[in-house]
Amino acid sequence: MCICKASEGIAQLLNRKWFLSRPDTLIQPVLISSGKPDAFDVHGLHFSSPKESKRILDSPGVFHVIRDDLLHPLMGGNKLRKLDALVPLLQSASVTDVITCGGCQSGHAAALAVACSESGLRARLLLRGERLSVPTGYNLISGMYGEVIYIPRSEYAERDDMLRKYAKSVAGGGTVVQIKDIRANFDGTFEQSQSIGIGQTSKKVAVVKEGASDVIALLGLIRLVDYLSQPCLLGSNRRLQLVIDCGTGTTAIGVALAIWILRLPWKVIGVMLVGALKDFKNLERKLLDDFKEMWHQDTDCGITREGLETCLEWVKRPRPRKFGNVLEGEIQTCQKVARETGILLDPIYTLAAWEVSSNLALSGKEETVMLHTGGTMSLFGVAQRYPSQF
Ligand SMILES: *Cc1c(COP(=O)(O)O)cnc(C)c1O
């Protein structure tokens, strides 16, 4: 399949079964008023947000927020986007059980568990470390929707071995399949799909990587960008910068790839929270190669590394720290933003995108849009670690 003619190619690529019935999301304006702009944080600024999907006039001190945090009460917005194409693929391949892994408060593990139970699949979640004395946040949700197994850190360090071992033991006499093999066997239309026979007892276990960082995750993000580029929403003519907070960087890479394929005059600003620039660059290369292999054999079509790079800039968060740490005043900033705008942020992920977005909006160079990636429930984990700050 060649996707060089953007609209046709995209239509073909997006013609598949999805987990979300519609790609729709709310776009909400945020107005920043006075206070001195500060390069390091948003203290001293005031925010307000008329809750309307119509775009307001763009001027310095205005940015828009894509409210993917409102997509689902339990599944984080970007987790849901990354599962949008994957879950129907698992169903089409007659998978019965899904295994994944993550940290104790993994939003990915929780989202996969919820999505699996909504789709007739069983989720097994290998979480790093020990059981919490009081389960809360995504950990609690993971245990409600999926079967949680705690893995000692030493064993977890060898992730691939661990996943392979548990997948085999769950499968018993059945089979274990990798996502890359499942997707290689489907061309996107699922005509070959067989359903599970009545009385089928043998298991088919699929292994989903940590953070769902697979090329299949990109499709849900391409679907999102295609939706956003409609004339009545962000449109396809104006230059804008889209700010995204990044763990693995899969979400930002998916959005940037969509921008490139659709040749939109947009750019992703990926705010790096975990790891170094080279890790993000490596993933960029890997996902692009996988994407080309899957959906773009014809190399004349112009999806290149350089092309992708023009749509994607990686930046550090304004106040770098070891991942997971919360700095003084950040909980208060989240409270302030919640009270002034009705938009809930967490200090680990989305506050970083908020800070970068407000700095860019105040600098007034280009229109700024923040993708709110969700992650609401990570606040519960933060509250456990920093109870006195709340
Ligand atoms: C998981 C998560 C991320 C990281 O997404 P990647 O695709 O791994 O970069 C960012 N923000 C929030 C709120 C998340 O829950």
Side-chain angles (χ1 to χ4, degrees), residues 78-79 82 245-251 346 349-350 373-375:
N78 75 331
K79 304 300 183 287
K82 291 196 276 186
D245 53 299
C246 300
T248 63
T250 310
T251 306
D346 77 272
Y349 287 109
T350 47
T373 44

Side-chain angles (χ1 to χ4, degrees), residues 185-254:
N185 288 322
F186 287 93
D187 66 356
T189 53
F190 298 104
E191 269 153 7
Q192 318 154 44
S193 74
Q194 348 105 264
S195 54
I196 303 172
I198 294 173
Q200 174 183 333
T201 48
S202 79
K203 288 193 170 136
K204 192 166 180 187
V205 182
V207 178
V208 176
K209 271 205 256 163
E210 190 164 20
S213 180
D214 182 275
V215 66
I216 194 80
L218 306 183
L219 296 180
L221 296 154
I222 296 173
R223 187 186 189 204
L224 169 65
V225 172
D226 183 54
Y227 164 83
L228 292 171
S229 67
Q230 295 174 88
C232 57
L233 298 170
L234 299 177
S236 57
N237 301 322
R238 289 194 324 278
R239 298 179 71 81
L240 51 90
Q241 43 199 359
L242 239 158
V243 182
I244 303 176
D245 53 299
C246 300
T248 63
T250 310
T251 306
I253 293 168

Side-chain angles (χ1 to χ4, degrees), residues 138-184:
Y138 287 121
N139 180 269
L140 174 68
I141 298 302
S142 290
M144 295 304 290
Y145 285 86
E147 286 166 50
V148 171
I149 303 158
Y150 290 96
I151 308 287
R153 280 156 213 279
S154 55
E155 189 184 342
Y156 194 95
E158 301 300 327
R159 227 155 287 201
D160 294 340
D161 288 348
M162 165 189 85
L163 285 166
R164 208 171 303 126
K165 184 179 123 199
Y166 280 86
K168 244 180 114 182
S169 82
V170 169
T175 52
V176 177
V177 288
Q178 303 295 325
I179 301 305
K180 69 171 172 16
D181 298 326
I182 298 179
R183 58 174 155 78

